[in-house]
Amino acid sequence: MSYQPRGPFRVDTVSGSHMSSEYAKQLGAKLRAIRTQQGLSLHGVEEKSQGRWKAVVVGSYERGDRAVTVQRLAELADFYGVPVQELLPGTTPGGAAEPPPKLVLDLERLATVPSEKAGPLQRYAATIQSQRGDYNGKVLSIRQDDLRTLAVIYDQSPSVLTEQLISWGVLNADARRAVAAHEEG
């Protein structure tokens, strides 16, 4: 006789492992959010991955209908160009109810900024894209560490550089909160 848990758990029929259905749904919601931020449909994921990630499989992960192994989650995070912890439920800093705003560069807008102003940022963004294999060409998420590095390159504080990037239209005004919160913490 095998053990069957009570409550909001299910048994994954492939591996026999137990996974909270609520956790699976939260994980799926994070996967869906990352995919949609990148402007990809489920079929777009399949096309961009050249069939490595089937639309039906990714969709079942996103609905929480199918358990994803740690290995597959790491591979999916790599495909999306995000750290694995970005996909895990309950990983917002300090358990905050609202996640901090992301630092997202508008690459299309960046291409319109004269290179004498934005050359270092353009080269830095191209390097990150190359490292991640992320060439969606529309947006690029950067970390606080990236912003600090760019601030050194531009010989400005992160908050002053943030204002400059906002004025160029390259960074969303919500980035002010992320930078301010990071400088306080």
Side-chain angles (χ1 to χ4, degrees):
M1 181 170 168
S2 69
Y3 167 76
Q4 291 295 318
R6 296 175 187 256
F9 289 88
R10 65 181 177 80
V11 175
D12 181 293
T13 54
V14 175
S15 66
S17 65
H18 305 289
M19 181 179 197
S20 162
S21 60
E22 185 56 36
Y23 189 86
K25 286 179 179 156
Q26 290 173 6
L27 176 70
K30 287 212 170 199
L31 286 169
R32 183 178 300 108
I34 294 292
R35 175 180 55 78
T36 58
Q37 281 174 9
Q38 295 188 4
L40 291 170
S41 66
L42 288 170
H43 289 289
V45 168
E46 188 167 336
E47 288 172 14
K48 184 178 176 186
S49 70
Q50 299 173 334
R52 165 118 172 64
W53 295 102
K54 301 292 184 206
V56 68
V57 172
V58 175
S60 65
Y61 291 157
E62 290 180 4
R63 289 187 305 277
D65 294 342
R66 183 176 193 163
V68 60
T69 65
V70 172
Q71 177 67 34
R72 293 286 285 172
L73 187 63
E75 291 169 4
L76 198 51
D78 187 53
F79 171 76
Y80 286 138
V82 300
V84 174
Q85 61 267 25
E86 286 293 316
L87 301 177
L88 298 176
T91 55
T92 56
E98 181 182 331
K102 302 282 184 228
L103 297 174
V104 180
L105 296 175
D106 181 332
L107 296 176
E108 292 173 327
R109 182 80 172 145
L110 178 58
T112 68
V113 179
S115 58
E116 59 270 9
K117 288 183 183 179
L121 177 57
Q122 291 165 337
R123 289 188 296 278
Y124 196 87
T127 300
I128 292 172
Q129 285 181 292
S130 174
Q131 289 172 343
R132 292 181 186 171
D134 177 8
Y135 299 102
N136 75 22
K138 295 179 179 159
V139 296
L140 181 69
S141 296
I142 62 170
R143 302 178 318 237
Q144 290 285 344
D145 288 345
D146 295 321
L147 186 66
R148 280 197 300 275
T149 300
L150 286 164
V152 170
I153 292 168
Y154 277 93
D155 195 25
Q156 297 177 345
S157 71
S159 57
V160 169
L161 179 60
T162 298
E163 292 303 321
Q164 182 67 56
L165 298 179
I166 290 168
S167 74
W168 291 347
V170 171
L171 202 54
N172 187 300
D174 286 344
R176 284 186 187 109
R177 282 190 322 143
V179 172
H182 190 75
E183 287 179 345
E184 289 171 8

